[in-house]
Amino acid sequence: MNIRSLTRGDGVVIGAAVVLFIASFLDLYSVGNSCAGSFCPKLDVPNAWDALGLLMSMFLAGIIGAALIVVARSLPQPKKIAGIDLGQFGTAFTIFAAWTAFWTIIDMDKAGAGMILGLIAALVLAAGAVAGPMVAALKAPLMGAPRPAVAPYGAQPYGAQPAGGYGYPGGAQPQPQPYGAAGTDPSQGGQTPAPGAAAQPAPAPAAGAPAGDFAPFWFAVPVARPLYPEDGSPTPIAELAPGTWYLAVEQRGAALVAQTQDGRRGVLQDTTGIQRG
């Protein structure tokens, strides 16, 4: 699971689920003891694990709902159960847990620490599950994307123009030619047409065809981006994470064919802002 794909709303859900789990071990009831002295019997107050119905409908239902929400967030493609999105299924679990907790504590005469803390955790859990996808503050990433590791010497963003002029290594610039003199022009096969001659546009490479002068290089992505199969399938085969260097083995138009550390190859369609090594 890629933790950088989680949002602040997911963090609220995870935290509330942890508190709900802890509350399941605390006392459900608050029982006063009027007996004094060393011969008073010790009262055995039950917790949620002693009440199977309450355990399943409130405590474990909320924890299962939180787990479904987090798993749905980390998957590259939405998964469904009985035609319902996995995240929506988890949200329904959390709402049911909060509903059960509310009416259970209303029916109690003296609620214990476990029930009170469980109600608070269930309400926060349901609120985080419902508001997470809608509130802008909760939709922000839980962990900001880190800056990539120190780039190799001479690294620069992919597609950036060299300091000495694009296409002229070492900063060398072409010398000006007298008006009318023939010079070299790569787009015209090495010869610049004379003034007045119609300039013929260079043939454009075929879409999706590998670049003829491409050389493999290392690169890093600024944010997590999916890697799609080379056959054009819409289902990603991997996710490129920030802070990791990947090898670009081929260029296809504006896209790159990248290779992960485990040897998988795929097409990176979004190459904006990547750092080249």
Side-chain angles (χ1 to χ4, degrees):
M1 182 181 70
N2 186 8
I3 193 174
R4 301 195 183 280
S5 64
L6 301 179
T7 64
R8 293 178 182 174
D10 298 326
V12 173
V13 169
I14 295 173
V18 172
V19 175
L20 190 62
F21 179 73
I22 295 174
S24 67
F25 294 96
L26 303 179
D27 296 343
L28 290 177
Y29 305 97
S30 177
V31 180
N33 189 0
S34 59
C35 179
S38 58
F39 297 100
C40 290
K42 183 179 180 180
L43 298 178
D44 187 12
V45 181
N47 58 27
W49 295 92
D50 298 318
L52 182 61
L54 185 61
L55 175 69
M56 299 302 298
S57 61
M58 172 183 166
F59 293 90
L60 290 187
I63 295 172
I64 292 173
L68 292 176
I69 292 172
V70 174
V71 170
R73 176 72 65 179
S74 62
L75 293 177
Q77 291 293 332
K79 300 296 182 181
K80 294 186 177 182
I81 299 178
I84 303 176
D85 184 81
L86 192 63
Q88 297 175 346
F89 207 82
T91 301
F93 264 80
T94 62
I95 296 175
F96 175 73
W99 175 266
T100 303
F102 177 76
W103 290 110
T104 301
I105 201 171
I106 289 294
D107 191 47
M108 283 185 175
D109 291 332
K110 294 182 179 181
M115 196 62 213
I116 296 174
L117 187 60
L119 172 65
I120 296 173
L123 292 176
V124 173
L125 177 59
V130 173
M134 298 184 296
V135 179
L138 296 178
K139 291 192 294 183
L142 181 61
M143 298 181 63
R147 299 180 64 87
V150 178
Y153 177 77
Q156 60 184 358
Y158 174 70
Q161 181 174 345
Y166 184 82
Y168 299 99
Q173 298 290 339
Q175 298 298 325
Q177 299 289 337
Y179 179 76
T184 59
D185 187 351
S187 64
Q188 301 296 335
Q191 185 70 23
T192 301
Q200 299 296 328
D213 57 349
F214 178 82
F217 61 89
W218 294 95
F219 71 94
V221 292
V223 294
R225 288 178 180 170
L227 193 66
Y228 295 94
E230 295 187 71
D231 59 3
S233 174
T235 303
I237 61 173
E239 185 179 61
L240 304 188
T244 304
W245 291 99
Y246 300 95
L247 181 63
V249 297
E250 190 177 305
Q251 183 174 355
R252 297 181 181 177
L256 291 174
V257 177
Q259 180 173 322
T260 62
Q261 288 83 354
D262 55 5
R264 288 180 294 174
R265 286 177 43 145
V267 179
L268 177 64
Q269 297 180 354
D270 186 3
T271 59
T272 56
I274 68 174
Q275 186 175 11
R276 178 170 177 172

